[in-house]
Amino acid sequence: MPDHPLRPFMLPILTAIAVATAFYVASEIFAPVTLALVFGVVLAPISRVFVRFGLPNVLAAFATLALFLTVVATLFTALSPIVDLAINSAPDVWEEMKTFVNDIQSAIEGIDQVASDVSAAVSSSGMAGSAGGSNFVMPSLTDLLAFAPTIGAQLLIFVGTLYFFLLGREDIYDKAARTLPHLPEGALETAEQDVSRYFLTITVIYAIFATIVTGYLHLIGLPAALLWGSLAFLLNFILYLGPILLACSLLIAGVVAFDGIYAILPAAGYLLMNMTEGQFVTPQLIGRSMSINPMLVFLSLVFWLWLWGPVGAIIAIPILVWSLALRNERQQEIAEPQDLQKAA
């Protein structure tokens, strides 16, 4: 009986489906572990710096972990005012948005039926609230206590995995190289360096970009420009979705802060600067060797976002960069003997 032409591809496809299913079912374990491994690869150069200064591996890993947790805690502390402001301003924002929608409706003539449908939808919405308050419900203490064990367990898994990976990543790489003989020697270390260099480069780019956004928003008079700039820096790491989310938020902030056509200035200016940075600045600075196909970025983002939600959106691009770096190392190993044969 002749082999089916698709038979060689069936085993890899079934393996991929089985792995994806396992990741989905056991997401509470695999998600924090994978997130920790991704951050471990990105933070590995910092650990190497501590080792060069004479610290033992144990202290270097602990110092890197402590530095990372300090930075994360600082960011959360710095961004907490904008979260409080958003919660407290939600009723006012909704009223401003209703006024903005009503202005648009009144400016459009000849579509009375559409205008009446939109007006009925707005008036019947449950988000309108009463005259003295809103229907936004904050989670109760019981709800928080119910989720606390799960969140605490995942945080413990993340911190433990990150620390032990930083501590023993060289041994992990050596064992992986012996287990997977098709990997070139030193490929994992080289891929780690490529990922770290990539993220160091885009971190600097995003920091400069966030500074420019902050200056622009301050210049046009939008309140809390520094906090919006901080969000522009953080959300830029979530390609596509992050900028879209921030642009929508800036549109709402513009409606609240400004009148008329000036309400679109924050979102429009941000989108223009983001497109300039994404299409011209970043590709030029990271170079062609580190550039990523936009289609691969989109598919990776969709897959990991479907699999693990926000955590998947964070790890999608690092995993893609790491995978492409390993592929490049493999291709170079295959190409070198062929080049030597041609030279001979």
Side-chain angles (χ1 to χ4, degrees):
M1 181 177 180
D3 291 339
H4 194 278
L6 295 179
R7 186 174 181 178
F9 302 98
M10 294 306 297
L11 182 59
I13 292 174
L14 292 176
T15 302
I17 294 174
V19 171
T21 303
F23 279 4
Y24 183 81
V25 172
S27 60
E28 292 184 356
I29 296 177
F30 285 118
V33 168
T34 307
L35 184 64
L37 294 177
V38 167
F39 276 104
V41 170
V42 175
L43 296 173
I46 300 176
S47 183
R48 285 198 295 267
V49 170
F50 285 128
V51 171
R52 291 194 189 103
F53 276 101
L55 288 180
N57 286 335
V58 174
L59 293 181
F62 180 79
T64 304
L65 177 62
L67 178 62
F68 170 73
L69 295 178
T70 301
V71 171
V72 171
T74 302
L75 288 175
F76 272 105
T77 303
L79 293 176
S80 60
I82 198 171
V83 177
D84 295 337
L85 179 63
I87 294 175
N88 295 330
S89 303
D92 296 334
V93 170
W94 178 246
E95 292 299 327
E96 291 285 349
M97 288 299 296
K98 287 199 300 182
T99 303
F100 182 68
V101 172
N102 290 333
D103 291 342
I104 293 178
Q105 292 174 354
S106 62
I108 300 176
E109 298 178 358
I111 53 172
D112 295 338
Q113 184 60 41
V114 175
S116 62
D117 292 342
V118 175
S119 177
V122 172
S123 62
S124 63
S125 174
M127 295 179 64
S130 60
S134 67
N135 291 331
F136 290 94
V137 179
M138 294 296 295
S140 64
L141 180 60
T142 304
D143 296 332
L144 296 177
L145 291 177
F147 284 103
T150 301
I151 296 174
Q154 292 182 344
L155 182 60
L156 181 62
I157 293 173
F158 171 80
V159 173
T161 304
L162 178 57
Y163 172 75
F164 286 110
F165 176 79
L166 291 172
L167 179 62
R169 70 183 189 284
E170 295 180 356
D171 293 336
I172 294 174
Y173 291 161
D174 291 339
K175 291 179 181 178
R178 290 194 296 267
T179 305
L180 304 172
H182 64 279
L183 283 179
E185 183 178 357
L188 292 173
E189 290 84 351
T190 304
E192 176 190 279
Q193 294 173 6
D194 290 343
V195 173
S196 300
R197 184 170 66 254
Y198 174 85
F199 277 92
L200 176 62
T201 303
I202 65 172
T203 297
V204 174
I205 295 173
Y206 292 167
I208 297 174
F209 170 75
T211 303
I212 296 174
V213 170
T214 301
Y216 167 75
L217 296 178
H218 179 73
L219 183 64
I220 65 175
L222 185 69
L226 180 60
L227 294 176
W228 287 112
S230 301
L231 287 175
F233 171 75
L234 295 175
L235 292 178
N236 242 14
F237 286 95
I238 306 177
L239 298 185
Y240 302 144
L241 295 181
I244 292 174
L245 176 62
L246 185 59
C248 294
S249 301
L250 285 173
L251 179 60
I252 296 175
V255 170
V256 175
F258 305 113
D259 296 325
I261 194 64
Y262 293 101
I264 68 172
L265 284 180
Y270 167 75
L271 285 176
L272 180 62
M273 289 184 286
N274 183 265
M275 287 189 293
T276 303
E277 173 266 318
Q279 298 298 322
F280 301 102
V281 178
T282 300
Q284 290 294 327
L285 292 181
I286 66 174
R288 292 183 178 179
S289 61
M290 298 178 64
S291 61
I292 308 175
N293 188 300
M295 186 64 179
L296 290 178
V297 172
F298 178 75
L299 293 178
S300 177
L301 188 63
V302 169
F303 172 76
W304 290 105
L305 187 63
W306 164 78
L307 191 65
W308 288 337
V311 173
I314 296 173
I315 68 174
I317 307 307
I319 288 180
L320 179 60
V321 173
W322 183 77
S323 302
L324 293 177
L326 284 181
R327 187 202 63 177
N328 293 337
E329 290 297 314
R330 177 62 176 167
Q331 290 177 344
Q332 290 178 4
E333 185 193 37
I334 296 174
E336 286 178 0
Q338 296 176 351
D339 293 340
L340 292 176
Q341 291 178 359
K342 291 179 180 180

